Amino acid sequence: MGNEATIHNGAAWKDTNGEPVRAHGGWMLQQDGYFYWFGEDRTEGRKVSCYRSSDLCHWENRGAVLTLDSKVRPVYYRTSLELYPPETSDIGYGQGAVIERPKVLYNERTGKYVMWMHWENGRNYNDARCAVATCDTIDGEYVYHGSFNPIGHMSRDCTVFQDDDGTAYFISAARDNADLLVYRLSDDYLSIDELVKTLWPGQYREAPAVMKRSGVYFLVTSACTGWLPNQGAYAYSDSLTGRWSQLLPFGDSTTYDTQPAFIVPIQSQGGKTEYLYAGDRWDPSSYHHSSYVFLPLSFPSDNEVKVEWADRITIDLHTGLIQPEVRESGLHRIKSCGSERYLAVMQPKGEDAGVIGNVLAYLSEEQKWIVEPCREDGYVRLRSKEDGRCLAVPLSPTGEPQSEAQLRLVQEEETRYSVEWILEDADAEGKVRIRSRATGKVLSAGLGEGGNRAAAFVHITDEAEHDPRNGRDPQRFEVLKVY
Ligand code: DGJ
């Protein structure tokens, strides 16, 4: 392989056999010139698969390293050895226990590779346990040692971190995700030694990933919104178990449509160390279509980390140079703050094409809009990428809006409709009102009966003052770039 690797972010990743790379919620280790990528594989009886590559681009499937058939051996503390709990259903999209976010460390003292992961029973996320497995080789068949609640705590999204002196830590979300707990592991990495820190209690952080640079620790996390992306955050500290900074923004309001998986240091042959952020781009309606995004991190100062979008990155493993390339898609998703759903064309191309706030499939074309400037004074057309037509307000012959809830999709030249909108009055978080030029009215999201979000809809109404005591503003929208 050459020294240069190009990674196409968000594209469907294929291994060297042309099969999808199944390494979600993953982790990377380097050994003998190879990167080993571990991650969730929920096909058939597989739980964790491992791939390897010398260039971060061509990934060879080394097989499922943890499966329902893996050997099971208890270790010295009390664990549940079930990999196939009774009455599992379909939350795992496969058989048996749900295994998420597997992370692997090499233990110098014992010569073993130790895997920590999140374990659920396959019916729900209520057991919230961690689990451990080990192997003598990096990509061999791991022996499963069982699952447990660390010091009795719930344990969901997790990661590990190995410090320079070999001390390892397990970090996981506890108390129904409210707190992030940092545990020091025993010398053999097989059990919990001590709970050493509670991070951001009550702040509901998920998807932790830790790195260390010039003596400073960085921890990147997401907020807690299921499979949908949210604003990432990072914090820094000069001591993993000491005081940490407050959470600071990492990436944009969807972390470029990703959730953190891990950060991998890339040591170039020239001796330079770069850091790559790896995030999962989940497809909430089709887990198996979820993909991956790799972005270089930059450090404006010793205590700051920054991530920026790149459609593709080219990494020269010899010099350590990472070349990002950005291509503006010009597409947006429009998310209602009131209903937390996305504007989507419900009946594309049909006579009655209507628009509704909805999450159909997060990645679906029905949710993509082109925000197209149409006048010099900032007015835009909102053109559906899927349908090709524009969001419109029907007008009476005198130019009045005809009634509420009558949004349509039309070609821009139709005179009985107005297709000009302005995105205005952005609040501190950049959330806007979407006002029709012809009518002065604004888009407003309504929930279905009894507050049913699944039946949320969008209509056009007079602007109303919003009282935050009544929840989120139904007349505010977030215009998110599609990456
Ligand atoms: C978000 C977590 O980060 C994922 O690992 C997974 O547990 C999903 N939630 C499940 O909803």
Side-chain angles (χ1 to χ4, degrees):
M1 299 287 163
N3 272 315
E4 259 193 18
T6 299
I7 295 175
H8 297 260
N9 281 321
W13 286 60
K14 295 279 166 64
D15 66 17
T16 47
N17 292 326
E19 295 294 320
V21 172
R22 301 187 196 280
H24 309 286
W27 179 251
M28 221 173 256
L29 268 190
Q30 289 169 65
Q31 184 181 284
D32 302 332
Y34 285 106
F35 294 92
Y36 287 84
W37 185 0
F38 297 86
E40 299 162 19
D41 179 350
R42 305 191 189 205
T43 55
E44 294 160 12
R46 299 182 192 97
K47 296 294 155 196
V48 179
S49 276
C50 180
Y51 297 81
R52 80 172 183 188
S53 170
S54 58
D55 64 0
L56 288 163
C57 201
H58 300 88
W59 292 96
E60 173 197 355
N61 188 351
R62 302 292 293 166
V65 293
L66 191 74
T67 70
L68 285 179
D69 297 328
S70 289
K71 285 201 184 102
V72 171
R73 193 183 321 128
V75 282
Y76 45 82
Y77 49 81
R78 198 166 154 197
T79 58
S80 157
L81 294 173
E82 284 169 330
L83 265 171
Y84 209 145
E87 293 172 47
T88 55
S89 60
D90 58 0
I91 70 153
Y93 318 97
Q95 306 158 351
V98 166
I99 297 293
E100 292 185 351
R101 298 185 178 270
K103 315 289 169 193
V104 180
L105 292 178
Y106 177 65
N107 186 299
E108 290 266 358
R109 285 170 193 251
T110 61
K112 297 250 183 215
Y113 293 85
V114 184
M115 182 186 294
W116 282 75
M117 63 207 112
H118 172 196
W119 184 101
E120 296 291 356
N121 59 26
R123 294 189 303 282
N124 52 46
Y125 276 79
N126 298 344
D127 283 344
R129 298 183 199 161
C130 59
V132 185
T134 60
C135 193
D136 291 333
T137 56
I138 191 165
D139 54 1
E141 293 177 6
Y142 279 66
V143 176
Y144 185 66
H145 299 306
S147 66
F148 62 103
N149 291 109
I151 326 183
H153 293 290
M154 294 173 98
S155 179
R156 291 203 182 116
D157 276 15
C158 61
T159 193
V160 291
F161 179 72
Q162 189 176 41
D163 216 334
D164 304 330
D165 64 358
T167 308
Y169 298 86
F170 176 66
I171 299 168
S172 78
R175 203 160 63 90
D176 264 323
N177 298 337
D179 308 338
L180 204 51
L181 302 187
V182 183
Y183 305 91
R184 190 179 56 240
L185 296 182
S186 54
D187 283 348
D188 59 9
Y189 298 176
L190 292 181
S191 63
I192 300 285
D193 206 10
E194 193 183 345
L195 173 62
V196 288
K197 184 76 190 167
T198 301
L199 288 169
W200 309 296
Q203 293 203 43
Y204 291 86
R205 305 308 301 178
E206 281 192 327
V210 184
M211 58 160 280
K212 187 181 185 183
R213 178 182 172 270
S214 310
V216 179
Y217 300 84
F218 291 95
L219 199 159
V220 173
T221 66
S222 74
C224 194
T225 52
W227 298 108
L228 290 176
N230 53 58
Q231 170 73 63
Y234 80 93
Y236 63 89
S237 174
D238 55 15
S239 155
L240 196 68
T241 59
R243 285 196 73 180
W244 281 77
S245 72
Q246 68 191 72
L247 291 162
L248 300 155
F250 180 76
D252 76 348
S253 60
T254 62
T255 324
Y256 311 118
D257 198 352
T258 71
Q259 191 181 27
F262 57 90
I263 296 167
V264 62
I266 311 279
Q267 255 103 32
S268 71
Q269 289 151 27
K272 209 167 150 204
T273 306
E274 296 287 344
Y275 296 86
L276 261 194
Y277 161 78
D280 291 290
R281 177 168 287 180
W282 302 116
D283 180 345
S285 62
S286 173
Y287 171 88
H288 293 300
H289 290 112
S290 300
S291 65
Y292 315 95
V293 166
F294 284 77
L295 297 170
L297 295 178
S298 62
F299 300 87
S301 75
D302 281 353
N303 291 335
E304 284 173 280
V305 61
K306 202 167 157 191
V307 65
E308 282 175 310
W309 173 250
D311 291 280
R312 53 187 214 169
I313 55 170
T314 301
I315 307 172
D316 185 325
L317 293 169
H318 185 70
T319 60
L321 194 73
I322 304 183
Q323 201 73 52
E325 269 180 58
V326 185
R327 186 172 25 84
E328 287 290 323
S329 76
L331 299 175
H332 297 83
R333 288 195 182 84
I334 301 176
K335 181 181 179 187
S336 148
C337 302
S339 70
E340 294 197 290
R341 296 177 89 80
Y342 295 79
L343 232 63
V345 178
M346 294 304 284
Q347 288 163 297
K349 315 230 171 9
E351 257 300 289
D352 272 340
V355 178
I356 189 165
N358 205 351
V359 177
L360 291 170
Y362 184 67
L363 300 177
S364 77
E365 299 302 308
E366 289 87 359
Q367 292 178 355
K368 294 181 183 166
W369 297 89
I370 301 160
V371 180
E372 198 175 82
C374 58
R375 292 168 65 98
E376 274 169 12
D377 49 7
Y379 282 88
V380 293
R381 295 189 199 100
L382 300 175
R383 189 184 297 281
S384 156
K385 167 161 190 268
E386 171 73 356
D387 181 286
R389 291 182 291 173
C390 298
L391 183 67
V393 189
L395 302 172
S396 70
T398 54
E400 285 299 303
Q402 287 185 332
S403 68
E404 290 193 352
Q406 288 257 346
L407 291 165
R408 283 286 177 273
L409 288 171
V410 300
Q411 301 296 348
E412 61 264 44
E413 63 270 17
E414 293 190 32
T415 49
R416 287 175 299 122
Y417 298 90
S418 169
V419 293
E420 292 176 350
W421 301 89
I422 193 147
L423 315 183
E424 61 171 25
D425 190 19
D427 67 9
E429 292 167 327
K431 294 165 181 163
V432 295
R433 290 180 191 272
I434 303 182
R435 191 183 302 279
S436 144
R437 175 181 158 80
T439 68
K441 301 202 177 215
V442 294
L443 283 191
S444 189
L447 298 176
E449 237 172 86
N452 181 3
R453 281 206 209 162
F457 62 97
V458 170
H459 57 165
I460 180 146
T461 60
D462 288 321
E463 182 177 348
E465 197 160 332
H466 175 62
D467 183 342
R469 286 171 295 193
N470 299 331
R472 299 198 181 139
D473 190 341
Q475 297 189 329
R476 280 204 182 270
F477 294 82
E478 215 175 338
V479 181
L480 302 160
K481 274 192 190 176
V482 173
Y483 293 104

